[in-house]
Amino acid sequence: MKQLLTPRWLLAELTGFLFAVYSAYNVFIIFRDRSSMPSEGVLISAVVALAFAILAVFMWTAGIKGKKYVIFMMIRRATFLVALLVLIVLKVRLISRSINYFDATLFYTYLYDGAYFLTLAGFLILFIYYAFILKALPFHTKAAVVLPVSAIILFSLSLIMEIILFFAYGMLFEANVLRTVVIRPVFYLGFIGLSLHFLYPLSTTNVKLSDKTQPTNQ
């Protein structure tokens, strides 16, 4: 048990908790506001709740490894990528609304669209990292650092922009002030935690090269 109590384990547990909170929040929305929500809104909230539940399980099972868990790890990897891809698709579907909202004469629209596009870029970076970089980690050591750090910066900037929009312009990103103040940080801190988690080496076998293998400059 003492081996589990590491910074990486604590980070995974906390990040999983944040994702679980956001998943539960979307379930709450369905039951609380379903009478006033269109069918599409209910469906989207359900999909988001499921996606974040998958992300929570992904984080909580980060310490599992070994040959007997190969099938589970394959399923874990696949469902994580699907969940992240779903979030990307849901984000992309709002791109026209974000573009139409922009007004070059209004500063707050720069912040609003900035938060949108930086968050989308953060999603894409995490997807690329996990789908293509992590499985070939010894050959992409620079990218394994640059991509998670870039995602952390993007999500942090998005959160800062939303904080400015909330306090300076009174903009709400959820149904009311309480939901905005509580849930928006949970959303961003979850992905910041996920990005930090990816900065930790999974094991010495993942980050150390054998004597016969050398990384290529990519």
Side-chain angles (χ1 to χ4, degrees), residues 56-90:
V57 173
F58 175 85
M59 296 306 301
W60 287 334
T61 57
I64 296 178
K65 57 184 178 180
K67 294 182 179 180
K68 64 179 180 179
Y69 297 110
V70 171
I71 295 178
F72 172 79
M73 297 304 291
M74 291 175 60
I75 295 174
R76 177 177 178 269
R77 172 184 171 82
T79 53
F80 173 81
L81 289 174
V82 169
L84 202 52
L85 185 60
V86 166
L87 294 179
I88 291 172
V89 171
L90 291 177

PDB file of all heavy atoms in Angstrom, residues 56-90:
ATOM      1  N   ALA A  56     -12.796   9.272 -15.676  1.00  0.00           N
ATOM      2  CA  ALA A  56     -12.577   9.030 -14.248  1.00  0.00           C
ATOM      3  C   ALA A  56     -12.027   7.624 -14.011  1.00  0.00           C
ATOM      4  O   ALA A  56     -11.054   7.431 -13.276  1.00  0.00           O
ATOM      5  CB  ALA A  56     -13.875   9.238 -13.473  1.00  0.00           C
ATOM      6  N   VAL A  57     -12.646   6.628 -14.655  1.00  0.00           N
ATOM      7  CA  VAL A  57     -12.183   5.243 -14.512  1.00  0.00           C
ATOM      8  C   VAL A  57     -10.775   5.094 -15.065  1.00  0.00           C
ATOM      9  O   VAL A  57      -9.944   4.372 -14.498  1.00  0.00           O
ATOM     10  CB  VAL A  57     -13.157   4.279 -15.231  1.00  0.00           C
ATOM     11  CG1 VAL A  57     -12.596   2.864 -15.232  1.00  0.00           C
ATOM     12  CG2 VAL A  57     -14.523   4.301 -14.556  1.00  0.00           C
ATOM     13  N   PHE A  58     -10.503   5.777 -16.164  1.00  0.00           N
ATOM     14  CA  PHE A  58      -9.163   5.749 -16.752  1.00  0.00           C
ATOM     15  C   PHE A  58      -8.116   6.199 -15.744  1.00  0.00           C
ATOM     16  O   PHE A  58      -7.058   5.574 -15.608  1.00  0.00           O
ATOM     17  CB  PHE A  58      -9.137   6.659 -17.984  1.00  0.00           C
ATOM     18  CG  PHE A  58      -7.777   6.805 -18.610  1.00  0.00           C
ATOM     19  CD1 PHE A  58      -7.318   5.865 -19.525  1.00  0.00           C
ATOM     20  CD2 PHE A  58      -6.957   7.882 -18.297  1.00  0.00           C
ATOM     21  CE1 PHE A  58      -6.060   5.998 -20.107  1.00  0.00           C
ATOM     22  CE2 PHE A  58      -5.699   8.014 -18.866  1.00  0.00           C
ATOM     23  CZ  PHE A  58      -5.253   7.076 -19.776  1.00  0.00           C
ATOM     24  N   MET A  59      -8.398   7.276 -15.027  1.00  0.00           N
ATOM     25  CA  MET A  59      -7.443   7.778 -14.049  1.00  0.00           C
ATOM     26  C   MET A  59      -7.332   6.857 -12.842  1.00  0.00           C
ATOM     27  O   MET A  59      -6.236   6.614 -12.324  1.00  0.00           O
ATOM     28  CB  MET A  59      -7.844   9.185 -13.595  1.00  0.00           C
ATOM     29  CG  MET A  59      -7.803  10.241 -14.685  1.00  0.00           C
ATOM     30  SD  MET A  59      -6.213  10.343 -15.544  1.00  0.00           S
ATOM     31  CE  MET A  59      -5.109  10.701 -14.183  1.00  0.00           C
ATOM     32  N   TRP A  60      -8.445   6.341 -12.395  1.00  0.00           N
ATOM     33  CA  TRP A  60      -8.430   5.485 -11.204  1.00  0.00           C
ATOM     34  C   TRP A  60      -7.774   4.129 -11.449  1.00  0.00           C
ATOM     35  O   TRP A  60      -7.433   3.424 -10.501  1.00  0.00           O
ATOM     36  CB  TRP A  60      -9.843   5.300 -10.683  1.00  0.00           C
ATOM     37  CG  TRP A  60     -10.384   6.531 -10.008  1.00  0.00           C
ATOM     38  CD1 TRP A  60      -9.662   7.512  -9.405  1.00  0.00           C
ATOM     39  CD2 TRP A  60     -11.745   6.907  -9.881  1.00  0.00           C
ATOM     40  NE1 TRP A  60     -10.494   8.478  -8.901  1.00  0.00           N
ATOM     41  CE2 TRP A  60     -11.790   8.136  -9.169  1.00  0.00           C
ATOM     42  CE3 TRP A  60     -12.959   6.341 -10.286  1.00  0.00           C
ATOM     43  CZ2 TRP A  60     -12.970   8.792  -8.861  1.00  0.00           C
ATOM     44  CZ3 TRP A  60     -14.145   6.985  -9.988  1.00  0.00           C
ATOM     45  CH2 TRP A  60     -14.149   8.207  -9.280  1.00  0.00           C
ATOM     46  N   THR A  61      -7.639   3.750 -12.704  1.00  0.00           N
ATOM     47  CA  THR A  61      -6.998   2.464 -13.027  1.00  0.00           C
ATOM     48  C   THR A  61      -5.594   2.670 -13.589  1.00  0.00           C
ATOM     49  O   THR A  61      -5.033   1.767 -14.212  1.00  0.00           O
ATOM     50  CB  THR A  61      -7.854   1.688 -14.051  1.00  0.00           C
ATOM     51  OG1 THR A  61      -8.043   2.498 -15.225  1.00  0.00           O
ATOM     52  CG2 THR A  61      -9.204   1.319 -13.467  1.00  0.00           C
ATOM     53  N   ALA A  62      -5.027   3.843 -13.373  1.00  0.00           N
ATOM     54  CA  ALA A  62      -3.723   4.169 -13.950  1.00  0.00           C
ATOM     55  C   ALA A  62      -2.608   3.280 -13.419  1.00  0.00           C
ATOM     56  O   ALA A  62      -1.600   3.073 -14.098  1.00  0.00           O
ATOM     57  CB  ALA A  62      -3.379   5.636 -13.685  1.00  0.00           C
ATOM     58  N   GLY A  63      -2.764   2.753 -12.214  1.00  0.00           N
ATOM     59  CA  GLY A  63      -1.699   1.950 -11.624  1.00  0.00           C
ATOM     60  C   GLY A  63      -1.741   0.484 -12.009  1.00  0.00           C
ATOM     61  O   GLY A  63      -0.838  -0.276 -11.647  1.00  0.00           O
ATOM     62  N   ILE A  64      -2.747   0.069 -12.745  1.00  0.00           N
ATOM     63  CA  ILE A  64      -2.871  -1.341 -13.125  1.00  0.00           C
ATOM     64  C   ILE A  64      -1.916  -1.663 -14.264  1.00  0.00           C
ATOM     65  O   ILE A  64      -1.864  -0.953 -15.267  1.00  0.00           O
ATOM     66  CB  ILE A  64      -4.320  -1.666 -13.551  1.00  0.00           C
ATOM     67  CG1 ILE A  64      -5.272  -1.493 -12.367  1.00  0.00           C
ATOM     68  CG2 ILE A  64      -4.407  -3.084 -14.102  1.00  0.00           C
ATOM     69  CD1 ILE A  64      -6.719  -1.741 -12.712  1.00  0.00           C
ATOM     70  N   LYS A  65      -1.156  -2.719 -14.111  1.00  0.00           N
ATOM     71  CA  LYS A  65      -0.254  -3.154 -15.165  1.00  0.00           C
ATOM     72  C   LYS A  65       0.054  -4.635 -14.967  1.00  0.00           C
ATOM     73  O   LYS A  65      -0.241  -5.222 -13.918  1.00  0.00           O
ATOM     74  CB  LYS A  65       1.034  -2.335 -15.147  1.00  0.00           C
ATOM     75  CG  LYS A  65       1.790  -2.355 -13.833  1.00  0.00           C
ATOM     76  CD  LYS A  65       2.989  -1.428 -13.892  1.00  0.00           C
ATOM     77  CE  LYS A  65       3.710  -1.413 -12.528  1.00  0.00           C
ATOM     78  NZ  LYS A  65       4.876  -0.516 -12.547  1.00  0.00           N
ATOM     79  N   GLY A  66       0.623  -5.245 -15.970  1.00  0.00           N
ATOM     80  CA  GLY A  66       0.945  -6.662 -15.904  1.00  0.00           C
ATOM     81  C   GLY A  66       0.324  -7.413 -17.070  1.00  0.00           C
ATOM     82  O   GLY A  66      -0.677  -6.987 -17.650  1.00  0.00           O
ATOM     83  N   LYS A  67       0.923  -8.547 -17.409  1.00  0.00           N
ATOM     84  CA  LYS A  67       0.479  -9.331 -18.563  1.00  0.00           C
ATOM     85  C   LYS A  67      -0.953  -9.837 -18.420  1.00  0.00           C
ATOM     86  O   LYS A  67      -1.675  -9.953 -19.413  1.00  0.00           O
ATOM     87  CB  LYS A  67       1.425 -10.514 -18.778  1.00  0.00           C
ATOM     88  CG  LYS A  67       2.828 -10.095 -19.194  1.00  0.00           C
ATOM     89  CD  LYS A  67       3.700 -11.318 -19.443  1.00  0.00           C
ATOM     90  CE  LYS A  67       5.105 -10.891 -19.897  1.00  0.00           C
ATOM     91  NZ  LYS A  67       5.975 -12.070 -20.141  1.00  0.00           N
ATOM     92  N   LYS A  68      -1.385 -10.113 -17.204  1.00  0.00           N
ATOM     93  CA  LYS A  68      -2.732 -10.651 -17.038  1.00  0.00           C
ATOM     94  C   LYS A  68      -3.816  -9.604 -17.238  1.00  0.00           C
ATOM     95  O   LYS A  68      -4.999  -9.929 -17.294  1.00  0.00           O
ATOM     96  CB  LYS A  68      -2.876 -11.308 -15.661  1.00  0.00           C
ATOM     97  CG  LYS A  68      -2.733 -10.345 -14.484  1.00  0.00           C
ATOM     98  CD  LYS A  68      -2.907 -11.097 -13.180  1.00  0.00           C
ATOM     99  CE  LYS A  68      -2.776 -10.170 -11.973  1.00  0.00           C
ATOM    100  NZ  LYS A  68      -2.968 -10.900 -10.698  1.00  0.00           N
ATOM    101  N   TYR A  69      -3.407  -8.339 -17.341  1.00  0.00           N
ATOM    102  CA  TYR A  69      -4.377  -7.261 -17.540  1.00  0.00           C
ATOM    103  C   TYR A  69      -4.310  -6.691 -18.964  1.00  0.00           C
ATOM    104  O   TYR A  69      -4.801  -5.587 -19.212  1.00  0.00           O
ATOM    105  CB  TYR A  69      -4.135  -6.126 -16.550  1.00  0.00           C
ATOM    106  CG  TYR A  69      -4.312  -6.523 -15.104  1.00  0.00           C
ATOM    107  CD1 TYR A  69      -3.218  -6.610 -14.259  1.00  0.00           C
ATOM    108  CD2 TYR A  69      -5.570  -6.813 -14.596  1.00  0.00           C
ATOM    109  CE1 TYR A  69      -3.366  -6.972 -12.925  1.00  0.00           C
ATOM    110  CE2 TYR A  69      -5.738  -7.180 -13.273  1.00  0.00           C
ATOM    111  CZ  TYR A  69      -4.624  -7.260 -12.441  1.00  0.00           C
ATOM    112  OH  TYR A  69      -4.778  -7.622 -11.123  1.00  0.00           O
ATOM    113  N   VAL A  70      -3.709  -7.430 -19.882  1.00  0.00           N
ATOM    114  CA  VAL A  70      -3.505  -6.914 -21.238  1.00  0.00           C
ATOM    115  C   VAL A  70      -4.814  -6.544 -21.900  1.00  0.00           C
ATOM    116  O   VAL A  70      -4.955  -5.464 -22.488  1.00  0.00           O
ATOM    117  CB  VAL A  70      -2.749  -7.951 -22.098  1.00  0.00           C
ATOM    118  CG1 VAL A  70      -2.741  -7.509 -23.558  1.00  0.00           C
ATOM    119  CG2 VAL A  70      -1.322  -8.123 -21.597  1.00  0.00           C
ATOM    120  N   ILE A  71      -5.802  -7.421 -21.827  1.00  0.00           N
ATOM    121  CA  ILE A  71      -7.097  -7.153 -22.472  1.00  0.00           C
ATOM    122  C   ILE A  71      -7.759  -5.940 -21.838  1.00  0.00           C
ATOM    123  O   ILE A  71      -8.301  -5.067 -22.539  1.00  0.00           O
ATOM    124  CB  ILE A  71      -8.015  -8.387 -22.376  1.00  0.00           C
ATOM    125  CG1 ILE A  71      -7.418  -9.547 -23.175  1.00  0.00           C
ATOM    126  CG2 ILE A  71      -9.422  -8.040 -22.891  1.00  0.00           C
ATOM    127  CD1 ILE A  71      -8.229 -10.824 -23.105  1.00  0.00           C
ATOM    128  N   PHE A  72      -7.715  -5.875 -20.513  1.00  0.00           N
ATOM    129  CA  PHE A  72      -8.303  -4.724 -19.827  1.00  0.00           C
ATOM    130  C   PHE A  72      -7.623  -3.430 -20.255  1.00  0.00           C
ATOM    131  O   PHE A  72      -8.287  -2.417 -20.491  1.00  0.00           O
ATOM    132  CB  PHE A  72      -8.181  -4.891 -18.309  1.00  0.00           C
ATOM    133  CG  PHE A  72      -8.588  -3.662 -17.535  1.00  0.00           C
ATOM    134  CD1 PHE A  72      -9.928  -3.373 -17.331  1.00  0.00           C
ATOM    135  CD2 PHE A  72      -7.629  -2.788 -17.034  1.00  0.00           C
ATOM    136  CE1 PHE A  72     -10.308  -2.232 -16.637  1.00  0.00           C
ATOM    137  CE2 PHE A  72      -8.002  -1.650 -16.345  1.00  0.00           C
ATOM    138  CZ  PHE A  72      -9.343  -1.373 -16.143  1.00  0.00           C
ATOM    139  N   MET A  73      -6.305  -3.452 -20.359  1.00  0.00           N
ATOM    140  CA  MET A  73      -5.570  -2.251 -20.743  1.00  0.00           C
ATOM    141  C   MET A  73      -5.883  -1.832 -22.169  1.00  0.00           C
ATOM    142  O   MET A  73      -5.935  -0.637 -22.492  1.00  0.00           O
ATOM    143  CB  MET A  73      -4.064  -2.476 -20.574  1.00  0.00           C
ATOM    144  CG  MET A  73      -3.625  -2.736 -19.144  1.00  0.00           C
ATOM    145  SD  MET A  73      -4.136  -1.427 -17.998  1.00  0.00           S
ATOM    146  CE  MET A  73      -3.106  -0.067 -18.558  1.00  0.00           C
ATOM    147  N   MET A  74      -6.128  -2.807 -23.042  1.00  0.00           N
ATOM    148  CA  MET A  74      -6.528  -2.488 -24.417  1.00  0.00           C
ATOM    149  C   MET A  74      -7.892  -1.809 -24.435  1.00  0.00           C
ATOM    150  O   MET A  74      -8.098  -0.820 -25.150  1.00  0.00           O
ATOM    151  CB  MET A  74      -6.549  -3.761 -25.265  1.00  0.00           C
ATOM    152  CG  MET A  74      -5.186  -4.358 -25.530  1.00  0.00           C
ATOM    153  SD  MET A  74      -5.270  -5.942 -26.413  1.00  0.00           S
ATOM    154  CE  MET A  74      -6.097  -5.449 -27.921  1.00  0.00           C
ATOM    155  N   ILE A  75      -8.808  -2.343 -23.630  1.00  0.00           N
ATOM    156  CA  ILE A  75     -10.145  -1.747 -23.548  1.00  0.00           C
ATOM    157  C   ILE A  75     -10.055  -0.356 -22.927  1.00  0.00           C
ATOM    158  O   ILE A  75     -10.710   0.595 -23.382  1.00  0.00           O
ATOM    159  CB  ILE A  75     -11.085  -2.644 -22.718  1.00  0.00           C
ATOM    160  CG1 ILE A  75     -11.304  -3.982 -23.436  1.00  0.00           C
ATOM    161  CG2 ILE A  75     -12.417  -1.943 -22.467  1.00  0.00           C
ATOM    162  CD1 ILE A  75     -12.089  -4.991 -22.630  1.00  0.00           C
ATOM    163  N   ARG A  76      -9.234  -0.230 -21.900  1.00  0.00           N
ATOM    164  CA  ARG A  76      -9.036   1.056 -21.223  1.00  0.00           C
ATOM    165  C   ARG A  76      -8.515   2.102 -22.194  1.00  0.00           C
ATOM    166  O   ARG A  76      -9.003   3.241 -22.226  1.00  0.00           O
ATOM    167  CB  ARG A  76      -8.063   0.866 -20.058  1.00  0.00           C
ATOM    168  CG  ARG A  76      -7.695   2.134 -19.297  1.00  0.00           C
ATOM    169  CD  ARG A  76      -6.775   1.775 -18.135  1.00  0.00           C
ATOM    170  NE  ARG A  76      -6.346   2.967 -17.399  1.00  0.00           N
ATOM    171  CZ  ARG A  76      -5.235   3.653 -17.674  1.00  0.00           C
ATOM    172  NH1 ARG A  76      -4.443   3.239 -18.665  1.00  0.00           N
ATOM    173  NH2 ARG A  76      -4.920   4.722 -16.976  1.00  0.00           N
ATOM    174  N   ARG A  77      -7.532   1.730 -22.984  1.00  0.00           N
ATOM    175  CA  ARG A  77      -6.953   2.649 -23.963  1.00  0.00           C
ATOM    176  C   ARG A  77      -7.983   3.058 -25.016  1.00  0.00           C
ATOM    177  O   ARG A  77      -8.124   4.235 -25.336  1.00  0.00           O
ATOM    178  CB  ARG A  77      -5.748   1.990 -24.639  1.00  0.00           C
ATOM    179  CG  ARG A  77      -5.187   2.780 -25.818  1.00  0.00           C
ATOM    180  CD  ARG A  77      -4.055   2.010 -26.505  1.00  0.00           C
ATOM    181  NE  ARG A  77      -3.675   2.656 -27.751  1.00  0.00           N
ATOM    182  CZ  ARG A  77      -2.851   3.688 -27.837  1.00  0.00           C
ATOM    183  NH1 ARG A  77      -2.305   4.183 -26.742  1.00  0.00           N
ATOM    184  NH2 ARG A  77      -2.542   4.227 -29.008  1.00  0.00           N
ATOM    185  N   ALA A  78      -8.717   2.070 -25.534  1.00  0.00           N
ATOM    186  CA  ALA A  78      -9.685   2.339 -26.590  1.00  0.00           C
ATOM    187  C   ALA A  78     -10.821   3.239 -26.102  1.00  0.00           C
ATOM    188  O   ALA A  78     -11.213   4.194 -26.792  1.00  0.00           O
ATOM    189  CB  ALA A  78     -10.256   1.023 -27.127  1.00  0.00           C
ATOM    190  N   THR A  79     -11.347   2.946 -24.919  1.00  0.00           N
ATOM    191  CA  THR A  79     -12.467   3.745 -24.409  1.00  0.00           C
ATOM    192  C   THR A  79     -12.012   5.169 -24.073  1.00  0.00           C
ATOM    193  O   THR A  79     -12.781   6.121 -24.267  1.00  0.00           O
ATOM    194  CB  THR A  79     -13.076   3.098 -23.154  1.00  0.00           C
ATOM    195  OG1 THR A  79     -12.053   2.835 -22.178  1.00  0.00           O
ATOM    196  CG2 THR A  79     -13.772   1.795 -23.507  1.00  0.00           C
ATOM    197  N   PHE A  80     -10.781   5.314 -23.598  1.00  0.00           N
ATOM    198  CA  PHE A  80     -10.263   6.659 -23.331  1.00  0.00           C
ATOM    199  C   PHE A  80     -10.199   7.481 -24.615  1.00  0.00           C
ATOM    200  O   PHE A  80     -10.630   8.646 -24.648  1.00  0.00           O
ATOM    201  CB  PHE A  80      -8.880   6.570 -22.693  1.00  0.00           C
ATOM    202  CG  PHE A  80      -8.198   7.909 -22.549  1.00  0.00           C
ATOM    203  CD1 PHE A  80      -8.513   8.751 -21.495  1.00  0.00           C
ATOM    204  CD2 PHE A  80      -7.250   8.324 -23.475  1.00  0.00           C
ATOM    205  CE1 PHE A  80      -7.894   9.999 -21.367  1.00  0.00           C
ATOM    206  CE2 PHE A  80      -6.631   9.560 -23.352  1.00  0.00           C
ATOM    207  CZ  PHE A  80      -6.954  10.399 -22.296  1.00  0.00           C
ATOM    208  N   LEU A  81      -9.658   6.894 -25.663  1.00  0.00           N
ATOM    209  CA  LEU A  81      -9.544   7.605 -26.938  1.00  0.00           C
ATOM    210  C   LEU A  81     -10.918   7.938 -27.514  1.00  0.00           C
ATOM    211  O   LEU A  81     -11.129   9.029 -28.059  1.00  0.00           O
ATOM    212  CB  LEU A  81      -8.740   6.769 -27.935  1.00  0.00           C
ATOM    213  CG  LEU A  81      -7.245   6.643 -27.634  1.00  0.00           C
ATOM    214  CD1 LEU A  81      -6.579   5.673 -28.610  1.00  0.00           C
ATOM    215  CD2 LEU A  81      -6.565   8.008 -27.705  1.00  0.00           C
ATOM    216  N   VAL A  82     -11.857   7.007 -27.385  1.00  0.00           N
ATOM    217  CA  VAL A  82     -13.220   7.264 -27.873  1.00  0.00           C
ATOM    218  C   VAL A  82     -13.858   8.402 -27.086  1.00  0.00           C
ATOM    219  O   VAL A  82     -14.485   9.299 -27.665  1.00  0.00           O
ATOM    220  CB  VAL A  82     -14.085   5.989 -27.774  1.00  0.00           C
ATOM    221  CG1 VAL A  82     -15.558   6.320 -28.024  1.00  0.00           C
ATOM    222  CG2 VAL A  82     -13.606   4.945 -28.775  1.00  0.00           C
ATOM    223  N   ALA A  83     -13.705   8.377 -25.763  1.00  0.00           N
ATOM    224  CA  ALA A  83     -14.281   9.429 -24.917  1.00  0.00           C
ATOM    225  C   ALA A  83     -13.700  10.789 -25.282  1.00  0.00           C
ATOM    226  O   ALA A  83     -14.424  11.783 -25.400  1.00  0.00           O
ATOM    227  CB  ALA A  83     -14.030   9.120 -23.443  1.00  0.00           C
ATOM    228  N   LEU A  84     -12.393  10.837 -25.471  1.00  0.00           N
ATOM    229  CA  LEU A  84     -11.745  12.100 -25.823  1.00  0.00           C
ATOM    230  C   LEU A  84     -12.167  12.560 -27.211  1.00  0.00           C
ATOM    231  O   LEU A  84     -12.400  13.757 -27.436  1.00  0.00           O
ATOM    232  CB  LEU A  84     -10.221  11.930 -25.764  1.00  0.00           C
ATOM    233  CG  LEU A  84      -9.380  13.203 -25.592  1.00  0.00           C
ATOM    234  CD1 LEU A  84      -9.865  14.025 -24.402  1.00  0.00           C
ATOM    235  CD2 LEU A  84      -7.914  12.833 -25.419  1.00  0.00           C
ATOM    236  N   LEU A  85     -12.308  11.618 -28.128  1.00  0.00           N
ATOM    237  CA  LEU A  85     -12.753  11.954 -29.484  1.00  0.00           C
ATOM    238  C   LEU A  85     -14.183  12.484 -29.470  1.00  0.00           C
ATOM    239  O   LEU A  85     -14.511  13.427 -30.204  1.00  0.00           O
ATOM    240  CB  LEU A  85     -12.650  10.723 -30.387  1.00  0.00           C
ATOM    241  CG  LEU A  85     -12.957  10.947 -31.861  1.00  0.00           C
ATOM    242  CD1 LEU A  85     -11.996  11.963 -32.463  1.00  0.00           C
ATOM    243  CD2 LEU A  85     -12.874   9.627 -32.626  1.00  0.00           C
ATOM    244  N   VAL A  86     -15.027  11.909 -28.639  1.00  0.00           N
ATOM    245  CA  VAL A  86     -16.405  12.384 -28.511  1.00  0.00           C
ATOM    246  C   VAL A  86     -16.427  13.826 -28.017  1.00  0.00           C
ATOM    247  O   VAL A  86     -17.191  14.664 -28.528  1.00  0.00           O
ATOM    248  CB  VAL A  86     -17.208  11.473 -27.554  1.00  0.00           C
ATOM    249  CG1 VAL A  86     -18.522  12.139 -27.131  1.00  0.00           C
ATOM    250  CG2 VAL A  86     -17.494  10.136 -28.219  1.00  0.00           C
ATOM    251  N   LEU A  87     -15.610  14.135 -27.022  1.00  0.00           N
ATOM    252  CA  LEU A  87     -15.542  15.504 -26.502  1.00  0.00           C
ATOM    253  C   LEU A  87     -15.045  16.476 -27.573  1.00  0.00           C
ATOM    254  O   LEU A  87     -15.516  17.617 -27.651  1.00  0.00           O
ATOM    255  CB  LEU A  87     -14.627  15.557 -25.279  1.00  0.00           C
ATOM    256  CG  LEU A  87     -15.114  14.789 -24.049  1.00  0.00           C
ATOM    257  CD1 LEU A  87     -14.101  14.894 -22.914  1.00  0.00           C
ATOM    258  CD2 LEU A  87     -16.474  15.299 -23.588  1.00  0.00           C
ATOM    259  N   ILE A  88     -14.106  16.025 -28.396  1.00  0.00           N
ATOM    260  CA  ILE A  88     -13.610  16.860 -29.488  1.00  0.00           C
ATOM    261  C   ILE A  88     -14.727  17.144 -30.487  1.00  0.00           C
ATOM    262  O   ILE A  88     -14.921  18.286 -30.927  1.00  0.00           O
ATOM    263  CB  ILE A  88     -12.417  16.185 -30.191  1.00  0.00           C
ATOM    264  CG1 ILE A  88     -11.207  16.161 -29.255  1.00  0.00           C
ATOM    265  CG2 ILE A  88     -12.065  16.910 -31.490  1.00  0.00           C
ATOM    266  CD1 ILE A  88     -10.039  15.342 -29.786  1.00  0.00           C
ATOM    267  N   VAL A  89     -15.470  16.106 -30.845  1.00  0.00           N
ATOM    268  CA  VAL A  89     -16.579  16.258 -31.802  1.00  0.00           C
ATOM    269  C   VAL A  89     -17.644  17.202 -31.253  1.00  0.00           C
ATOM    270  O   VAL A  89     -18.149  18.082 -31.968  1.00  0.00           O
ATOM    271  CB  VAL A  89     -17.197  14.885 -32.146  1.00  0.00           C
ATOM    272  CG1 VAL A  89     -18.475  15.064 -32.962  1.00  0.00           C
ATOM    273  CG2 VAL A  89     -16.196  14.028 -32.911  1.00  0.00           C
ATOM    274  N   LEU A  90     -17.988  17.032 -29.986  1.00  0.00           N
ATOM    275  CA  LEU A  90     -18.992  17.908 -29.369  1.00  0.00           C
ATOM    276  C   LEU A  90     -18.504  19.354 -29.325  1.00  0.00           C
ATOM    277  O   LEU A  90     -19.301  20.294 -29.452  1.00  0.00           O
ATOM    278  CB  LEU A  90     -19.314  17.417 -27.954  1.00  0.00           C
ATOM    279  CG  LEU A  90     -20.078  16.095 -27.862  1.00  0.00           C
ATOM    280  CD1 LEU A  90     -20.269  15.694 -26.401  1.00  0.00           C
ATOM    281  CD2 LEU A  90     -21.442  16.213 -28.549  1.00  0.00           C
TER     282      LEU A  90
END
